[in-house]
Amino acid sequence: MRAVPEAQEFPCACTVSGRHRAVVIGVDVAASRTRGQLRAVLREIESQCSVLVGRLHRLQHILVVLNGSPLPERVVLRICDSAAQRIHAYLEQACARSIVLTVLLAEKCDDSGRLAERLMARARQRPWLDAGIALRWRDIANAPIGAVGANTYV
């Protein structure tokens, strides 16, 4: 994402400011060797999302990119999909805001440029039906996140 001209980098959620419509959170989950540890990381992400929603009043999309999980991909995907839906519901209830939350498992990503393109396209997309979703890199390598998310939702 550093190569994208409109992207800005912040050291933590508490320092983010501006009129951003989307945020990308990169998370290395290599140390999450158990399901419980992965869930704990995702609870921390939920906390960061709450801070971001409070600081960024135009925020519509939060994209979480995970990398490095030693757990089986199907397990990580299931846990992340559940967490994405839970975080979306929490933000709706606690913050009275509907934020599209996309979790992407980028473990097997072999094209960082295309990944950045997909993330930017998702960030520019109007809020859609797939408000809380987790996908794998291979799901979006050849199709936009929104299209894959809509197909998954239906």
Side-chain angles (χ1 to χ4, degrees), residues 25 27-29 32 34-50 64-67 69 71 75-88 90 101-105 133-134:
I25 302 172
V27 184
D28 182 2
V29 291
S32 300
T34 67
R35 295 170 190 203
Q37 290 172 333
L38 178 60
R39 286 186 184 104
V41 168
L42 294 170
R43 280 191 297 276
E44 175 57 31
I45 296 297
E46 181 175 341
S47 174
Q48 289 179 31
C49 290
S50 183
V64 179
V65 181
L66 298 180
N67 197 14
S69 178
L71 296 170
V75 170
V76 176
L77 185 64
R78 189 177 66 244
I79 290 170
C80 288
D81 194 54
S82 176
Q85 293 173 31
R86 185 189 73 246
I87 294 169
H88 170 76
Y90 167 77
L101 189 88
T102 306
V103 179
L104 181 63
L105 310 184
I133 191 166

Side-chain angles (χ1 to χ4, degrees), residues 73-147:
E73 184 179 63
R74 64 178 173 71
V75 170
V76 176
L77 185 64
R78 189 177 66 244
I79 290 170
C80 288
D81 194 54
S82 176
Q85 293 173 31
R86 185 189 73 246
I87 294 169
H88 170 76
Y90 167 77
L91 295 174
E92 259 188 339
Q93 293 170 359
C95 305
R97 304 263 307 276
S98 183
I99 306 295
V100 177
L101 189 88
T102 306
V103 179
L104 181 63
L105 310 184
E107 178 71 23
K108 296 178 179 163
C109 177
D110 57 354
D111 188 343
S112 60
R114 181 172 290 164
L115 174 60
E117 288 173 15
R118 295 284 189 245
L119 293 173
M120 290 305 296
R122 180 65 161 181
R124 291 182 184 115
Q125 181 184 16
R126 296 188 68 82
W128 190 241
L129 298 173
D130 56 330
I133 191 166
L135 300 167
R136 299 168 293 203
W137 163 250
R138 73 172 173 256
D139 297 332
I140 65 153
N142 297 311
I145 294 172

Side-chain angles (χ1 to χ4, degrees), residues 9-18 20 51-52 55-56:
E9 189 171 345
F10 295 91
C12 71
C14 62
T15 63
V16 175
S17 63
H20 306 287
V51 169
L52 290 165
R55 295 183 64 82
L56 302 172

